[in-house]
Amino acid sequence: MSYPPFSRRDLMKAMAALGVFSLAPGLFAAPSGKKKLGVALVGLGSYSRGQLAPALQLTQHCYLAGIVTGSPEKIPVWQQQYRIPDKNVYNYDNMHQMADNPDIDVVYIVLPTGLHKKYSIIGAEAGKHVWCEKPMAMNAGECEEMIAACKKNKVKLTIGYRMQHEPNTQRVIQMATEKPYGKIQLITAEAGYRSGGSHGWRADPKLGGGAMYDMGVYPLNAARYTAGEEPIAVTARQESVRPMYKDVDETMEFRLQFPSGCIAECATSYARGMNRLHAQCEKGWYELQPFQSYNGVQGRTSDGTLLNTPIENQQARQMDNDALAIINNSPVLVPGEEGLRDIRIVDAIFKAAKEGKEIRL
């Protein structure tokens, strides 16, 4: 099944329609009389616990209404901390029953990548809008199934690329079109960290383990929005040194070629810390460092301009923007088609690494 391509130009139009290039207060106002949307977090791991649940205490247009977990011992802790009623608590076997619960408008899938498709579709079939963490799914076919399920059930599907809601990143996206320093020639995008002994699902290939799925979509998506165009070819090399990552990629280096001639040199790893996005142009350069941290994203340009617009909470901004797209029935900033585009390239990256040759896209 195929869907109309969602280009970088479409993204720019959606961002402009949402007003996300401006930080002026009030631009994100919902129509009067519209209620806050109830969000159920599906999966109560570290990201839900440390980032999303706290951020939902700061949002204006949505709130933490329910939870879905396979760990019964977590339930009383979450209920006490966030006052979640019994009727809004689900497990993975009865999650479909939230179809009869008007308190929940959105399910946010915060599970390992290998489980995204299954529970996104369950949420969609329950009539709930779906927010799914990145990467969207294990392969392009799974992404297409998720898009189809949401379309069939007339719910919105949004992928959790929080950086595209972040103001300094949005400025970089603008510069892809404006080209203030001339033609973009070389992009360097790197994201990684030195992992410890606890690896869990990140070492399990069936659940989407490995650096490319876990962290690699940061440099991949960044290369695409910084170039403002889609790659036409990819080469890649993967490496796994430590025994815990023998079944997945501990490090992935990949090179994207774009129609304009721009090249993106990208890397992701569990073996070394990296957090940098740099664009070298004909007449100068600009960069963000760090470019994908939960806070403190900042950068500069070759002529001394600082890219340091502050933001209180990235996840709160992301979820409020996504909630408003539902409330106003307007385009979401990062739809399923955007996640699908990345995963098509991820598929090609793994193929290029395995076959040791360039793969045309």
Side-chain angles (χ1 to χ4, degrees), residues 50-347:
Q51 278 74 45
L52 294 178
L56 282 163
Q57 312 312 302
L58 304 174
T59 46
Q60 299 179 42
H61 305 294
C62 53
Y63 72 102
L64 178 56
I67 54 175
V68 181
T69 181
S71 303
E73 71 277 6
K74 294 181 180 179
I75 294 172
V77 177
W78 279 72
Q79 284 191 298
Q80 181 177 8
Q81 184 168 1
Y82 295 111
R83 299 179 182 177
I84 298 170
D86 290 342
K87 65 186 180 69
N88 291 357
V89 176
Y90 297 88
N91 59 49
Y92 298 119
D93 293 326
N94 67 10
M95 176 181 159
H96 62 280
Q97 294 176 4
M98 66 174 60
D100 300 319
N101 189 339
D103 290 354
I104 296 172
D105 302 288
V106 179
V107 292
Y108 196 148
I109 310 301
V110 202
L111 295 165
T113 307
L115 301 174
H116 284 184
K117 184 195 82 168
K118 178 179 179 178
Y119 292 100
S120 291
I121 291 176
I122 290 173
E125 290 179 343
K128 308 304 179 182
H129 300 284
V130 177
W131 298 346
C132 180
E133 259 309 303
K134 61 191 178 307
M136 183 174 173
M138 292 292 292
N139 54 59
E142 289 190 352
C143 295
E144 290 174 344
E145 289 184 61
M146 292 164 64
I147 292 169
C150 290
K151 287 181 181 293
K152 178 181 177 181
N153 290 282
K154 295 180 172 58
V155 296
K156 289 185 181 293
L157 171 61
T158 306
I159 311 304
Y161 285 91
R162 62 186 163 82
M163 302 321 304
Q164 294 195 22
H165 298 260
E166 194 276 329
N168 300 297
T169 305
Q170 289 172 353
R171 180 65 190 125
V172 168
I173 294 173
Q174 278 183 302
M175 288 194 279
T177 299
E178 297 172 1
K179 293 184 172 56
Y181 302 96
K183 182 180 178 181
I184 302 169
Q185 299 173 324
L186 176 65
I187 297 167
T188 304
E190 303 170 326
Y193 61 94
R194 174 75 181 181
S195 68
S198 178
H199 44 275
W201 67 265
R202 290 178 172 83
D204 187 340
K206 292 182 180 179
L207 290 178
M212 187 65 224
Y213 279 121
D214 186 21
M215 296 292 289
V217 288
Y218 283 113
L220 170 56
N221 199 250
R224 291 177 52 235
Y225 62 61
T226 303
E229 54 183 341
E230 299 300 332
I232 57 175
V234 59
T235 56
R237 183 187 73 86
Q238 78 175 61
E239 179 181 76
S240 296
V241 176
R242 288 178 289 175
M244 69 179 79
Y245 296 118
K246 63 183 176 64
D247 297 322
V248 298
D249 55 298
E250 184 177 16
T251 297
M252 183 75 79
E253 298 173 346
F254 55 101
R255 185 175 189 263
L256 304 175
Q257 178 184 337
F258 293 92
S260 65
C262 175
I263 298 296
E265 298 284 357
C266 305
T268 186
S269 181
Y270 286 152
R272 62 183 189 270
M274 303 178 286
N275 198 338
R276 177 174 179 253
L277 173 62
H278 183 94
Q280 185 65 48
C281 310
E282 287 178 307
K283 303 173 184 177
W285 54 265
Y286 47 94
E287 67 177 10
L288 295 176
Q289 188 173 3
F291 86 94
Q292 50 79 221
S293 297
Y294 292 151
N295 51 62
V297 171
Q298 60 183 321
R300 59 196 177 107
T301 71
S302 54
D303 59 10
T305 301
L306 296 180
L307 303 174
N308 61 354
T309 301
I311 184 172
E312 181 181 5
N313 185 286
Q314 293 175 11
Q315 288 84 2
R317 173 66 64 88
Q318 168 199 327
M319 291 187 285
D320 263 343
N321 287 351
D322 292 339
L324 281 170
I326 294 170
I327 292 169
N328 296 331
N329 194 25
S330 58
V332 300
L333 183 57
V334 189
E337 288 80 2
E338 171 74 349
L340 169 60
R341 281 180 171 258
D342 267 352
I343 296 302
R344 282 176 175 157
I345 300 168
V346 170
D347 289 345

